[in-house]
Amino acid sequence: MHKHGPETHGLGRAGWLRAAVLGANDGIVSVAGLVVGVAASGASDSAILASGMAGLVAGAMSMAAGEYVSVQSQADLEMANLAIEKRELSEDPHAELDELTSIYVHRGLEPALARQVAEQLTAHDALAAHARDELGITETLRARPLQAALASAAAFTVGALLPVLTAWLAPASRVGPVTIAVTLLGLLGSGALAAGTGGAPVLRGAWRVFFWGALAMAASHGIGLLFDVRV
């Protein structure tokens, strides 16, 4: 006999999960690429480590700022649409009730039942009903700029620490190869974790991140070989 209870889905985690995955992968790939490229150019250990740390700080701030601005724009649009809907509910509640009824009819309810559902939801919370069913705005999926910015910055920092610490601890003559190997392993792990958390196939998510990370690393290493820097 099966026990019935509330089902759990990954959509409630969509906002912060997207920001965290993007931040972590970007931190790993961009800073590892920077370290590998600088190492391939022949720079000293201190220059390699300084480049990695600078990339970590600048990248974390850039991710936070970019994510905040992007998600804040979405939040502003949501607030503007809610303000319009609130005004329309105040000015012509009957037309809004008809509109809500029409939405439910188009979703498959019989007109009489659709009217009854619209009336009951309107009586409970008219703005929430229109936000959800007309505008597609729900409390779970609403834009949260600060949360997204902090998640991006923190995840970028955690991801970037992997190549930075690797460059710091690796033998001086093997910084590039060791960083590449550790980074690719980290990307496999982050891709698998992100896929598993979101309910997607783990292997597919891991290899997808691995492929693009390897491509970025190869490009960075190739650029570094074009230079012969001795610092």
Side-chain angles (χ1 to χ4, degrees):
M1 184 175 179
H2 298 287
K3 293 182 179 179
H4 296 282
E7 295 183 0
T8 57
H9 298 281
L11 289 177
R13 299 187 292 265
W16 68 262
L17 178 61
R18 181 186 67 85
V21 170
L22 177 63
N25 289 337
D26 195 26
I28 295 173
V29 174
S30 61
V31 176
L34 183 61
V35 168
V36 168
V38 174
S41 73
S44 67
D45 293 350
S46 59
I48 295 171
L49 189 58
S51 298
M53 288 300 299
L56 185 155
V57 174
M61 295 300 295
S62 176
M63 287 293 294
E67 194 71 23
Y68 183 86
V69 170
S70 174
V71 180
Q72 184 61 57
S73 297
Q74 180 185 343
D76 291 342
L77 181 60
E78 289 178 356
M79 292 301 296
N81 284 330
L82 287 173
I84 293 173
E85 198 63 37
K86 187 175 182 179
R87 186 181 68 246
E88 291 176 345
L89 283 167
S90 176
E91 294 175 352
D92 196 349
H94 295 294
E96 292 300 300
L97 182 61
D98 290 340
E99 186 177 29
L100 202 58
T101 301
S102 178
I103 290 172
Y104 298 144
V105 169
H106 281 90
R107 290 184 180 180
L109 294 182
E110 293 292 334
L113 180 58
R115 187 69 175 191
Q116 184 179 5
V117 170
E119 289 174 347
Q120 290 188 10
L121 290 178
T122 297
H124 176 69
D125 191 334
L127 184 59
H130 282 271
R132 179 183 60 251
D133 296 319
E134 181 182 347
L135 303 177
I137 300 173
T138 65
E139 186 60 32
T140 302
L141 300 180
R142 285 194 69 173
R144 293 178 173 84
L146 186 59
Q147 182 189 62
L150 292 176
S152 289
F156 185 97
T157 300
V158 171
L161 281 173
L162 179 64
V164 169
L165 292 175
T166 301
W168 181 39
L169 298 173
S173 60
R174 307 292 294 171
V175 171
V178 172
T179 301
I180 290 174
V182 173
T183 296
L184 291 178
L185 288 175
L187 288 173
L188 279 173
S190 70
L193 179 62
T197 304
V202 173
L203 287 179
R204 184 186 304 170
W207 282 110
R208 181 169 51 209
V209 176
F210 178 90
F211 171 78
W212 289 107
L215 193 63
M217 220 79 61
S220 299
H221 187 263
I223 294 296
L225 291 177
L226 295 177
F227 300 87
D228 184 15
V229 180
R230 303 295 169 186
V231 180

